[in-house]
């Protein structure tokens, strides 16, 4: 099995599409297929920054008061976040790089078109309200992190 690797911030995938035991990383200019799950990759990245996926999940729950589809903060410095469109234990899931998503809109039939910086568009089989709710939870999370940072100075 391929080991999940930590990549630099400039090379982060915009969409992580997990299909059971493989994951497709979508970048503005290419797709890459890997034989590890999104959570395995996220755990490697969060450990690289001194935490763990479980620690990030606990922080998300505590700071947002939301226990649905926890977003994962990669680094407190960059505030890079990925959020899932299904529950964390789903074997098939799509994770979105919050920081690069510019806008989104409904395509009908419960599909949503995501529009990222650098011109990438990506359609997901989810109602736009799911993305809207996740984006809102991420904003609450970032605001709480910033408020806590300001209090600790």
């Amino acid at each position: 099995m391929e080991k999940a690797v930590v990549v630099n911030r400039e090379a982060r995938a915009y969409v992580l599409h997990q299909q059971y035991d493989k994951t497709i990383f979508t970048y503005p200019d290419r797709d890459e297929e890997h034989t590890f799950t999104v959570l395995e990759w996220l755990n490697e990245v969060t450990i690289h920054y001194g935490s763990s996926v479980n620690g990030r999940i606990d922080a998300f729950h505590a700071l947002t008061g939301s226990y649905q589809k926890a977003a994962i903060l990669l680094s407190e410095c960059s505030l890079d976040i990925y959020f899932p469109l299904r529950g964390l234990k789903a074997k098939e899931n799509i994770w979105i790089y919050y920081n690069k998503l510019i806008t989104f809109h409904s395509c009908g039939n419960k599909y949503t078109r995501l529009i990222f910086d650098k011109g990438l568009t990506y359609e997901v089989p989810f109602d736009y309200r799911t993305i809207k709710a996740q984006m809102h939870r991420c904003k609450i999370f970032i605001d709480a992190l910033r408020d806590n940072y300001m209090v600790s100075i």
Side-chain angles (χ1 to χ4, degrees), residues 2 4-17 23-34 36 41 45 74 82 95-97 100 114 116-122:
E2 178 184 12
V5 293
V6 177
V7 294
N8 67 32
R9 184 169 187 254
E10 290 73 34
R12 295 219 195 281
Y14 287 20
V15 178
L16 309 174
H17 188 171
T23 303
I24 299 168
F25 283 50
T26 298
Y27 299 88
D29 60 345
R30 70 189 185 285
D31 289 343
E32 292 179 1
E33 187 173 309
H34 297 280
F36 48 78
W41 180 77
V45 174
L74 301 185
Y82 280 91
W95 291 73
I96 307 300
Y97 189 7
K100 298 296 184 177
L114 308 175
F116 296 89
D117 71 352
K118 297 188 180 177
L120 177 68
T121 62
Y122 194 92

mmCIF file of all heavy atoms in Angstrom, residues 2 4-17 23-34 36 41 45 74 82 95-97 100 114 116-122:
data_model
loop_
_atom_site.group_PDB
_atom_site.id
_atom_site.type_symbol
_atom_site.label_atom_id
_atom_site.label_comp_id
_atom_site.label_asym_id
_atom_site.label_seq_id
_atom_site.Cartn_x
_atom_site.Cartn_y
_atom_site.Cartn_z
ATOM 1 N N GLU A 2 0.496 2.197 -0.761
ATOM 2 C CA GLU A 2 1.202 3.473 -0.860
ATOM 3 C C GLU A 2 1.075 4.241 0.449
ATOM 4 O O GLU A 2 0.031 4.250 1.079
ATOM 5 C CB GLU A 2 0.553 4.263 -2.007
ATOM 6 C CG GLU A 2 1.115 5.618 -2.241
ATOM 7 C CD GLU A 2 0.354 6.365 -3.334
ATOM 8 O OE1 GLU A 2 -0.735 5.926 -3.745
ATOM 9 O OE2 GLU A 2 0.864 7.405 -3.754
ATOM 10 N N ALA A 4 0.752 7.589 2.638
ATOM 11 C CA ALA A 4 0.274 8.956 2.482
ATOM 12 C C ALA A 4 1.448 9.904 2.677
ATOM 13 O O ALA A 4 2.256 9.724 3.578
ATOM 14 C CB ALA A 4 -0.817 9.252 3.501
ATOM 15 N N VAL A 5 1.561 10.884 1.818
ATOM 16 C CA VAL A 5 2.684 11.814 1.883
ATOM 17 C C VAL A 5 2.199 13.222 2.152
ATOM 18 O O VAL A 5 1.121 13.622 1.736
ATOM 19 C CB VAL A 5 3.521 11.798 0.575
ATOM 20 C CG1 VAL A 5 4.211 10.480 0.399
ATOM 21 C CG2 VAL A 5 2.663 12.121 -0.626
ATOM 22 N N VAL A 6 3.017 13.960 2.868
ATOM 23 C CA VAL A 6 2.727 15.357 3.140
ATOM 24 C C VAL A 6 3.312 16.172 1.997
ATOM 25 O O VAL A 6 4.480 16.014 1.656
ATOM 26 C CB VAL A 6 3.346 15.793 4.485
ATOM 27 C CG1 VAL A 6 3.101 17.262 4.743
ATOM 28 C CG2 VAL A 6 2.790 14.944 5.612
ATOM 29 N N VAL A 7 2.496 17.024 1.403
ATOM 30 C CA VAL A 7 2.976 17.878 0.321
ATOM 31 C C VAL A 7 2.933 19.329 0.771
ATOM 32 O O VAL A 7 2.209 19.677 1.695
ATOM 33 C CB VAL A 7 2.147 17.700 -0.975
ATOM 34 C CG1 VAL A 7 2.322 16.316 -1.533
ATOM 35 C CG2 VAL A 7 0.682 17.992 -0.726
ATOM 36 N N ASN A 8 3.715 20.156 0.107
ATOM 37 C CA ASN A 8 3.754 21.549 0.526
ATOM 38 C C ASN A 8 2.431 22.257 0.224
ATOM 39 O O ASN A 8 1.631 21.807 -0.580
ATOM 40 C CB ASN A 8 4.950 22.293 -0.098
ATOM 41 C CG ASN A 8 4.845 22.438 -1.589
ATOM 42 O OD1 ASN A 8 3.758 22.545 -2.150
ATOM 43 N ND2 ASN A 8 5.980 22.456 -2.252
ATOM 44 N N ARG A 9 2.229 23.360 0.886
ATOM 45 C CA ARG A 9 0.952 24.073 0.832
ATOM 46 C C ARG A 9 0.575 24.498 -0.590
ATOM 47 O O ARG A 9 -0.575 24.469 -0.967
ATOM 48 C CB ARG A 9 1.029 25.308 1.735
ATOM 49 C CG ARG A 9 -0.280 26.046 1.809
ATOM 50 C CD ARG A 9 -0.242 27.089 2.910
ATOM 51 N NE ARG A 9 -1.566 27.647 3.052
ATOM 52 C CZ ARG A 9 -1.908 28.857 2.630
ATOM 53 N NH1 ARG A 9 -1.027 29.633 2.048
ATOM 54 N NH2 ARG A 9 -3.136 29.294 2.788
ATOM 55 N N GLU A 10 1.547 24.900 -1.376
ATOM 56 C CA GLU A 10 1.251 25.359 -2.735
ATOM 57 C C GLU A 10 0.756 24.228 -3.624
ATOM 58 O O GLU A 10 0.161 24.464 -4.662
ATOM 59 C CB GLU A 10 2.489 26.012 -3.354
ATOM 60 C CG GLU A 10 2.861 27.357 -2.745
ATOM 61 C CD GLU A 10 3.475 27.256 -1.359
ATOM 62 O OE1 GLU A 10 4.199 26.275 -1.087
ATOM 63 O OE2 GLU A 10 3.214 28.138 -0.528
ATOM 64 N N ALA A 11 1.009 22.994 -3.224
ATOM 65 C CA ALA A 11 0.643 21.844 -4.053
ATOM 66 C C ALA A 11 -0.562 21.083 -3.496
ATOM 67 O O ALA A 11 -0.755 19.925 -3.817
ATOM 68 C CB ALA A 11 1.836 20.903 -4.181
ATOM 69 N N ARG A 12 -1.387 21.705 -2.691
ATOM 70 C CA ARG A 12 -2.545 21.022 -2.123
ATOM 71 C C ARG A 12 -3.620 20.802 -3.187
ATOM 72 O O ARG A 12 -3.913 21.694 -3.983
ATOM 73 C CB ARG A 12 -3.139 21.817 -0.978
ATOM 74 C CG ARG A 12 -2.209 21.948 0.193
ATOM 75 C CD ARG A 12 -2.949 21.834 1.503
ATOM 76 N NE ARG A 12 -2.142 22.295 2.604
ATOM 77 C CZ ARG A 12 -1.182 21.592 3.170
ATOM 78 N NH1 ARG A 12 -0.889 20.398 2.733
ATOM 79 N NH2 ARG A 12 -0.500 22.086 4.185
ATOM 80 N N ALA A 13 -4.199 19.623 -3.150
ATOM 81 C CA ALA A 13 -5.314 19.309 -4.051
ATOM 82 C C ALA A 13 -6.540 20.109 -3.638
ATOM 83 O O ALA A 13 -6.753 20.361 -2.455
ATOM 84 C CB ALA A 13 -5.604 17.817 -4.010
ATOM 85 N N TYR A 14 -7.356 20.475 -4.610
ATOM 86 C CA TYR A 14 -8.563 21.239 -4.330
ATOM 87 C C TYR A 14 -9.729 20.336 -3.948
ATOM 88 O O TYR A 14 -10.600 20.725 -3.187
ATOM 89 C CB TYR A 14 -8.944 22.077 -5.548
ATOM 90 C CG TYR A 14 -8.055 23.273 -5.788
ATOM 91 C CD1 TYR A 14 -6.775 23.371 -5.240
ATOM 92 C CD2 TYR A 14 -8.485 24.317 -6.573
ATOM 93 C CE1 TYR A 14 -5.969 24.467 -5.478
ATOM 94 C CE2 TYR A 14 -7.689 25.423 -6.815
ATOM 95 C CZ TYR A 14 -6.439 25.489 -6.260
ATOM 96 O OH TYR A 14 -5.644 26.585 -6.481
ATOM 97 N N VAL A 15 -9.738 19.120 -4.503
ATOM 98 C CA VAL A 15 -10.785 18.145 -4.215
ATOM 99 C C VAL A 15 -10.121 16.797 -3.957
ATOM 100 O O VAL A 15 -9.222 16.392 -4.692
ATOM 101 C CB VAL A 15 -11.785 18.009 -5.396
ATOM 102 C CG1 VAL A 15 -12.843 16.952 -5.096
ATOM 103 C CG2 VAL A 15 -12.427 19.354 -5.718
ATOM 104 N N LEU A 16 -10.558 16.138 -2.898
ATOM 105 C CA LEU A 16 -10.097 14.790 -2.577
ATOM 106 C C LEU A 16 -11.316 13.879 -2.678
ATOM 107 O O LEU A 16 -12.249 14.021 -1.889
ATOM 108 C CB LEU A 16 -9.515 14.733 -1.158
ATOM 109 C CG LEU A 16 -8.456 15.779 -0.801
ATOM 110 C CD1 LEU A 16 -8.097 15.689 0.670
ATOM 111 C CD2 LEU A 16 -7.238 15.607 -1.674
ATOM 112 N N HIS A 17 -11.312 12.990 -3.654
ATOM 113 C CA HIS A 17 -12.462 12.113 -3.878
ATOM 114 C C HIS A 17 -12.080 10.699 -3.476
ATOM 115 O O HIS A 17 -11.350 10.020 -4.191
ATOM 116 C CB HIS A 17 -12.891 12.164 -5.341
ATOM 117 C CG HIS A 17 -14.165 11.445 -5.609
ATOM 118 N ND1 HIS A 17 -14.806 11.522 -6.809
ATOM 119 C CD2 HIS A 17 -14.938 10.635 -4.843
ATOM 120 C CE1 HIS A 17 -15.908 10.786 -6.774
ATOM 121 N NE2 HIS A 17 -15.997 10.232 -5.590
ATOM 122 N N THR A 23 -7.969 7.169 -3.457
ATOM 123 C CA THR A 23 -8.363 8.574 -3.415
ATOM 124 C C THR A 23 -7.830 9.272 -4.654
ATOM 125 O O THR A 23 -6.668 9.100 -5.024
ATOM 126 C CB THR A 23 -7.809 9.263 -2.152
ATOM 127 O OG1 THR A 23 -8.273 8.559 -0.996
ATOM 128 C CG2 THR A 23 -8.251 10.708 -2.075
ATOM 129 N N ILE A 24 -8.681 10.076 -5.276
ATOM 130 C CA ILE A 24 -8.269 10.895 -6.414
ATOM 131 C C ILE A 24 -8.083 12.323 -5.920
ATOM 132 O O ILE A 24 -9.005 12.924 -5.382
ATOM 133 C CB ILE A 24 -9.294 10.825 -7.551
ATOM 134 C CG1 ILE A 24 -9.421 9.381 -8.043
ATOM 135 C CG2 ILE A 24 -8.907 11.778 -8.693
ATOM 136 C CD1 ILE A 24 -10.578 9.135 -8.956
ATOM 137 N N PHE A 25 -6.866 12.828 -6.082
ATOM 138 C CA PHE A 25 -6.540 14.209 -5.741
ATOM 139 C C PHE A 25 -6.721 15.031 -7.014
ATOM 140 O O PHE A 25 -6.079 14.746 -8.019
ATOM 141 C CB PHE A 25 -5.083 14.325 -5.281
ATOM 142 C CG PHE A 25 -4.819 13.859 -3.878
ATOM 143 C CD1 PHE A 25 -5.255 12.632 -3.420
ATOM 144 C CD2 PHE A 25 -4.097 14.666 -3.013
ATOM 145 C CE1 PHE A 25 -4.988 12.210 -2.127
ATOM 146 C CE2 PHE A 25 -3.822 14.255 -1.720
ATOM 147 C CZ PHE A 25 -4.271 13.029 -1.276
ATOM 148 N N THR A 26 -7.581 16.041 -6.956
ATOM 149 C CA THR A 26 -7.804 16.907 -8.111
ATOM 150 C C THR A 26 -7.155 18.265 -7.864
ATOM 151 O O THR A 26 -7.456 18.949 -6.892
ATOM 152 C CB THR A 26 -9.308 17.081 -8.387
ATOM 153 O OG1 THR A 26 -9.860 15.801 -8.695
ATOM 154 C CG2 THR A 26 -9.545 18.031 -9.552
ATOM 155 N N TYR A 27 -6.259 18.610 -8.781
ATOM 156 C CA TYR A 27 -5.559 19.891 -8.775
ATOM 157 C C TYR A 27 -6.099 20.717 -9.944
ATOM 158 O O TYR A 27 -6.787 20.192 -10.815
ATOM 159 C CB TYR A 27 -4.052 19.669 -8.972
ATOM 160 C CG TYR A 27 -3.412 18.829 -7.895
ATOM 161 C CD1 TYR A 27 -3.377 17.434 -7.994
ATOM 162 C CD2 TYR A 27 -2.836 19.427 -6.785
ATOM 163 C CE1 TYR A 27 -2.777 16.662 -7.006
ATOM 164 C CE2 TYR A 27 -2.232 18.652 -5.791
ATOM 165 C CZ TYR A 27 -2.217 17.280 -5.916
ATOM 166 O OH TYR A 27 -1.628 16.515 -4.933
ATOM 167 N N PRO A 28 -5.765 21.999 -10.015
ATOM 168 C CA PRO A 28 -6.239 22.796 -11.149
ATOM 169 C C PRO A 28 -5.789 22.256 -12.508
ATOM 170 O O PRO A 28 -6.471 22.428 -13.507
ATOM 171 C CB PRO A 28 -5.641 24.182 -10.892
ATOM 172 C CG PRO A 28 -5.450 24.240 -9.418
ATOM 173 C CD PRO A 28 -5.085 22.837 -9.020
ATOM 174 N N ASP A 29 -4.645 21.557 -12.544
ATOM 175 C CA ASP A 29 -4.089 21.124 -13.825
ATOM 176 C C ASP A 29 -4.002 19.614 -14.012
ATOM 177 O O ASP A 29 -3.535 19.148 -15.048
ATOM 178 C CB ASP A 29 -2.699 21.730 -14.006
ATOM 179 C CG ASP A 29 -1.728 21.316 -12.903
ATOM 180 O OD1 ASP A 29 -2.183 20.808 -11.848
ATOM 181 O OD2 ASP A 29 -0.516 21.504 -13.093
ATOM 182 N N ARG A 30 -4.434 18.823 -13.003
ATOM 183 C CA ARG A 30 -4.300 17.370 -13.142
ATOM 184 C C ARG A 30 -5.061 16.638 -12.042
ATOM 185 O O ARG A 30 -5.445 17.233 -11.046
ATOM 186 C CB ARG A 30 -2.825 16.959 -13.080
ATOM 187 C CG ARG A 30 -2.203 17.122 -11.708
ATOM 188 C CD ARG A 30 -0.699 16.926 -11.713
ATOM 189 N NE ARG A 30 -0.129 16.962 -10.387
ATOM 190 C CZ ARG A 30 0.061 18.050 -9.653
ATOM 191 N NH1 ARG A 30 -0.306 19.222 -10.125
ATOM 192 N NH2 ARG A 30 0.602 17.974 -8.459
ATOM 193 N N ASP A 31 -5.202 15.336 -12.244
ATOM 194 C CA ASP A 31 -5.716 14.424 -11.227
ATOM 195 C C ASP A 31 -4.628 13.419 -10.907
ATOM 196 O O ASP A 31 -3.861 13.027 -11.797
ATOM 197 C CB ASP A 31 -6.949 13.658 -11.724
ATOM 198 C CG ASP A 31 -8.189 14.522 -11.852
ATOM 199 O OD1 ASP A 31 -8.215 15.626 -11.280
ATOM 200 O OD2 ASP A 31 -9.128 14.086 -12.536
ATOM 201 N N GLU A 32 -4.570 12.997 -9.642
ATOM 202 C CA GLU A 32 -3.639 11.950 -9.231
ATOM 203 C C GLU A 32 -4.413 10.910 -8.436
ATOM 204 O O GLU A 32 -5.197 11.262 -7.557
ATOM 205 C CB GLU A 32 -2.530 12.516 -8.327
ATOM 206 C CG GLU A 32 -1.570 13.432 -9.012
ATOM 207 C CD GLU A 32 -0.513 13.967 -8.044
ATOM 208 O OE1 GLU A 32 -0.514 13.603 -6.845
ATOM 209 O OE2 GLU A 32 0.319 14.772 -8.505
ATOM 210 N N GLU A 33 -4.168 9.640 -8.720
ATOM 211 C CA GLU A 33 -4.818 8.565 -7.983
ATOM 212 C C GLU A 33 -3.834 7.977 -6.974
ATOM 213 O O GLU A 33 -2.678 7.706 -7.304
ATOM 214 C CB GLU A 33 -5.287 7.480 -8.944
ATOM 215 C CG GLU A 33 -6.125 6.420 -8.278
ATOM 216 C CD GLU A 33 -6.716 5.443 -9.275
ATOM 217 O OE1 GLU A 33 -7.331 5.898 -10.261
ATOM 218 O OE2 GLU A 33 -6.550 4.232 -9.049
ATOM 219 N N HIS A 34 -4.310 7.796 -5.736
ATOM 220 C CA HIS A 34 -3.481 7.250 -4.668
ATOM 221 C C HIS A 34 -4.206 6.094 -3.989
ATOM 222 O O HIS A 34 -5.431 6.019 -4.024
ATOM 223 C CB HIS A 34 -3.148 8.335 -3.632
ATOM 224 C CG HIS A 34 -2.353 9.457 -4.195
ATOM 225 N ND1 HIS A 34 -0.999 9.376 -4.398
ATOM 226 C CD2 HIS A 34 -2.725 10.694 -4.635
ATOM 227 C CE1 HIS A 34 -0.559 10.518 -4.918
ATOM 228 N NE2 HIS A 34 -1.583 11.325 -5.076
ATOM 229 N N PHE A 36 -4.394 5.347 -0.727
ATOM 230 C CA PHE A 36 -4.648 5.568 0.695
ATOM 231 C C PHE A 36 -5.919 6.387 0.808
ATOM 232 O O PHE A 36 -6.364 7.014 -0.151
ATOM 233 C CB PHE A 36 -3.471 6.259 1.396
ATOM 234 C CG PHE A 36 -2.929 7.464 0.670
ATOM 235 C CD1 PHE A 36 -3.568 8.696 0.717
ATOM 236 C CD2 PHE A 36 -1.762 7.366 -0.073
ATOM 237 C CE1 PHE A 36 -3.071 9.798 0.045
ATOM 238 C CE2 PHE A 36 -1.246 8.471 -0.751
ATOM 239 C CZ PHE A 36 -1.904 9.679 -0.691
ATOM 240 N N TRP A 41 -4.325 10.296 4.789
ATOM 241 C CA TRP A 41 -3.527 11.442 4.337
ATOM 242 C C TRP A 41 -3.646 12.602 5.321
ATOM 243 O O TRP A 41 -2.632 13.206 5.714
ATOM 244 C CB TRP A 41 -3.961 11.876 2.937
ATOM 245 C CG TRP A 41 -3.187 13.046 2.426
ATOM 246 C CD1 TRP A 41 -1.919 13.039 1.926
ATOM 247 C CD2 TRP A 41 -3.623 14.412 2.398
ATOM 248 N NE1 TRP A 41 -1.544 14.320 1.575
ATOM 249 C CE2 TRP A 41 -2.574 15.179 1.858
ATOM 250 C CE3 TRP A 41 -4.794 15.050 2.773
ATOM 251 C CZ2 TRP A 41 -2.661 16.553 1.682
ATOM 252 C CZ3 TRP A 41 -4.884 16.427 2.597
ATOM 253 C CH2 TRP A 41 -3.826 17.162 2.061
ATOM 254 N N VAL A 45 -0.714 14.611 7.502
ATOM 255 C CA VAL A 45 -0.504 16.063 7.417
ATOM 256 C C VAL A 45 -0.653 16.707 8.790
ATOM 257 O O VAL A 45 0.187 17.527 9.193
ATOM 258 C CB VAL A 45 -1.468 16.712 6.403
ATOM 259 C CG1 VAL A 45 -1.342 18.230 6.424
ATOM 260 C CG2 VAL A 45 -1.209 16.184 5.010
ATOM 261 N N LEU A 74 -5.637 21.853 8.877
ATOM 262 C CA LEU A 74 -4.294 21.300 8.684
ATOM 263 C C LEU A 74 -3.270 22.016 9.546
ATOM 264 O O LEU A 74 -2.462 21.389 10.213
ATOM 265 C CB LEU A 74 -3.883 21.373 7.209
ATOM 266 C CG LEU A 74 -4.779 20.639 6.218
ATOM 267 C CD1 LEU A 74 -4.182 20.706 4.823
ATOM 268 C CD2 LEU A 74 -5.030 19.214 6.637
ATOM 269 N N TYR A 82 -9.916 21.363 5.120
ATOM 270 C CA TYR A 82 -10.689 20.510 4.213
ATOM 271 C C TYR A 82 -11.975 20.125 4.920
ATOM 272 O O TYR A 82 -11.964 19.834 6.116
ATOM 273 C CB TYR A 82 -9.923 19.227 3.871
ATOM 274 C CG TYR A 82 -8.864 19.401 2.817
ATOM 275 C CD1 TYR A 82 -7.558 19.711 3.155
ATOM 276 C CD2 TYR A 82 -9.174 19.247 1.468
ATOM 277 C CE1 TYR A 82 -6.578 19.861 2.188
ATOM 278 C CE2 TYR A 82 -8.202 19.399 0.488
ATOM 279 C CZ TYR A 82 -6.906 19.715 0.857
ATOM 280 O OH TYR A 82 -5.953 19.861 -0.110
ATOM 281 N N TRP A 95 -13.953 15.505 -0.293
ATOM 282 C CA TRP A 95 -13.438 16.531 0.608
ATOM 283 C C TRP A 95 -13.052 17.751 -0.223
ATOM 284 O O TRP A 95 -12.435 17.620 -1.275
ATOM 285 C CB TRP A 95 -12.208 16.027 1.352
ATOM 286 C CG TRP A 95 -12.503 14.958 2.352
ATOM 287 C CD1 TRP A 95 -12.827 13.658 2.085
ATOM 288 C CD2 TRP A 95 -12.497 15.093 3.765
ATOM 289 N NE1 TRP A 95 -13.013 12.980 3.261
ATOM 290 C CE2 TRP A 95 -12.813 13.840 4.312
ATOM 291 C CE3 TRP A 95 -12.246 16.165 4.632
ATOM 292 C CZ2 TRP A 95 -12.887 13.614 5.677
ATOM 293 C CZ3 TRP A 95 -12.309 15.943 5.999
ATOM 294 C CH2 TRP A 95 -12.636 14.690 6.508
ATOM 295 N N ILE A 96 -13.400 18.929 0.277
ATOM 296 C CA ILE A 96 -13.180 20.184 -0.438
ATOM 297 C C ILE A 96 -12.166 21.039 0.330
ATOM 298 O O ILE A 96 -12.249 21.178 1.552
ATOM 299 C CB ILE A 96 -14.510 20.970 -0.561
ATOM 300 C CG1 ILE A 96 -15.616 20.101 -1.162
ATOM 301 C CG2 ILE A 96 -14.305 22.263 -1.336
ATOM 302 C CD1 ILE A 96 -15.344 19.574 -2.534
ATOM 303 N N TYR A 97 -11.246 21.632 -0.418
ATOM 304 C CA TYR A 97 -10.264 22.558 0.158
ATOM 305 C C TYR A 97 -10.957 23.911 0.321
ATOM 306 O O TYR A 97 -11.091 24.689 -0.626
ATOM 307 C CB TYR A 97 -9.068 22.638 -0.777
ATOM 308 C CG TYR A 97 -7.851 23.373 -0.288
ATOM 309 C CD1 TYR A 97 -7.722 23.846 1.013
ATOM 310 C CD2 TYR A 97 -6.782 23.581 -1.146
ATOM 311 C CE1 TYR A 97 -6.583 24.506 1.437
ATOM 312 C CE2 TYR A 97 -5.634 24.236 -0.741
ATOM 313 C CZ TYR A 97 -5.539 24.696 0.557
ATOM 314 O OH TYR A 97 -4.403 25.355 0.959
ATOM 315 N N LYS A 100 -9.644 27.431 -1.054
ATOM 316 C CA LYS A 100 -9.540 27.694 -2.494
ATOM 317 C C LYS A 100 -10.890 27.770 -3.195
ATOM 318 O O LYS A 100 -10.960 28.118 -4.374
ATOM 319 C CB LYS A 100 -8.687 26.610 -3.169
ATOM 320 C CG LYS A 100 -7.260 26.557 -2.669
ATOM 321 C CD LYS A 100 -6.512 27.832 -2.984
ATOM 322 C CE LYS A 100 -5.060 27.745 -2.562
ATOM 323 N NZ LYS A 100 -4.314 28.949 -2.924
ATOM 324 N N LEU A 114 -18.824 23.555 -8.145
ATOM 325 C CA LEU A 114 -17.868 24.266 -7.301
ATOM 326 C C LEU A 114 -16.912 25.026 -8.211
ATOM 327 O O LEU A 114 -16.433 24.480 -9.209
ATOM 328 C CB LEU A 114 -17.072 23.283 -6.448
ATOM 329 C CG LEU A 114 -17.878 22.270 -5.631
ATOM 330 C CD1 LEU A 114 -16.937 21.283 -4.944
ATOM 331 C CD2 LEU A 114 -18.758 22.969 -4.624
ATOM 332 N N PHE A 116 -13.356 27.105 -8.079
ATOM 333 C CA PHE A 116 -12.167 27.384 -7.283
ATOM 334 C C PHE A 116 -11.338 28.467 -7.960
ATOM 335 O O PHE A 116 -11.563 28.810 -9.119
ATOM 336 C CB PHE A 116 -11.307 26.118 -7.169
ATOM 337 C CG PHE A 116 -11.978 24.997 -6.442
ATOM 338 C CD1 PHE A 116 -12.758 24.076 -7.127
ATOM 339 C CD2 PHE A 116 -11.822 24.845 -5.070
ATOM 340 C CE1 PHE A 116 -13.367 23.023 -6.455
ATOM 341 C CE2 PHE A 116 -12.428 23.804 -4.399
ATOM 342 C CZ PHE A 116 -13.204 22.880 -5.090
ATOM 343 N N ASP A 117 -10.341 28.952 -7.220
ATOM 344 C CA ASP A 117 -9.405 29.864 -7.863
ATOM 345 C C ASP A 117 -8.640 29.090 -8.933
ATOM 346 O O ASP A 117 -8.754 27.875 -9.028
ATOM 347 C CB ASP A 117 -8.478 30.528 -6.827
ATOM 348 C CG ASP A 117 -7.450 29.598 -6.219
ATOM 349 O OD1 ASP A 117 -7.499 28.372 -6.455
ATOM 350 O OD2 ASP A 117 -6.574 30.092 -5.490
ATOM 351 N N LYS A 118 -7.936 29.753 -9.752
ATOM 352 C CA LYS A 118 -7.195 29.182 -10.880
ATOM 353 C C LYS A 118 -8.116 28.524 -11.915
ATOM 354 O O LYS A 118 -7.667 27.721 -12.721
ATOM 355 C CB LYS A 118 -6.123 28.191 -10.411
ATOM 356 C CG LYS A 118 -5.058 28.860 -9.554
ATOM 357 C CD LYS A 118 -3.915 27.947 -9.258
ATOM 358 C CE LYS A 118 -2.903 28.667 -8.405
ATOM 359 N NZ LYS A 118 -1.791 27.822 -8.026
ATOM 360 N N GLY A 119 -9.425 28.827 -11.861
ATOM 361 C CA GLY A 119 -10.342 28.395 -12.905
ATOM 362 C C GLY A 119 -10.882 26.983 -12.818
ATOM 363 O O GLY A 119 -11.644 26.566 -13.689
ATOM 364 N N LEU A 120 -10.523 26.222 -11.803
ATOM 365 C CA LEU A 120 -11.025 24.855 -11.697
ATOM 366 C C LEU A 120 -12.511 24.854 -11.353
ATOM 367 O O LEU A 120 -12.945 25.557 -10.441
ATOM 368 C CB LEU A 120 -10.263 24.083 -10.610
ATOM 369 C CG LEU A 120 -10.759 22.652 -10.356
ATOM 370 C CD1 LEU A 120 -10.476 21.757 -11.557
ATOM 371 C CD2 LEU A 120 -10.121 22.087 -9.091
ATOM 372 N N THR A 121 -13.293 24.085 -12.108
ATOM 373 C CA THR A 121 -14.694 23.835 -11.764
ATOM 374 C C THR A 121 -14.859 22.337 -11.561
ATOM 375 O O THR A 121 -14.202 21.529 -12.228
ATOM 376 C CB THR A 121 -15.680 24.328 -12.851
ATOM 377 O OG1 THR A 121 -15.422 23.628 -14.053
ATOM 378 C CG2 THR A 121 -15.554 25.817 -13.070
ATOM 379 N N TYR A 122 -15.751 21.983 -10.652
ATOM 380 C CA TYR A 122 -15.921 20.576 -10.284
ATOM 381 C C TYR A 122 -17.361 20.376 -9.845
ATOM 382 O O TYR A 122 -17.856 21.118 -8.999
ATOM 383 C CB TYR A 122 -14.962 20.250 -9.133
ATOM 384 C CG TYR A 122 -14.770 18.788 -8.849
ATOM 385 C CD1 TYR A 122 -13.742 18.074 -9.445
ATOM 386 C CD2 TYR A 122 -15.604 18.111 -7.953
ATOM 387 C CE1 TYR A 122 -13.541 16.728 -9.171
ATOM 388 C CE2 TYR A 122 -15.410 16.778 -7.676
ATOM 389 C CZ TYR A 122 -14.380 16.086 -8.286
ATOM 390 O OH TYR A 122 -14.186 14.760 -8.010
#
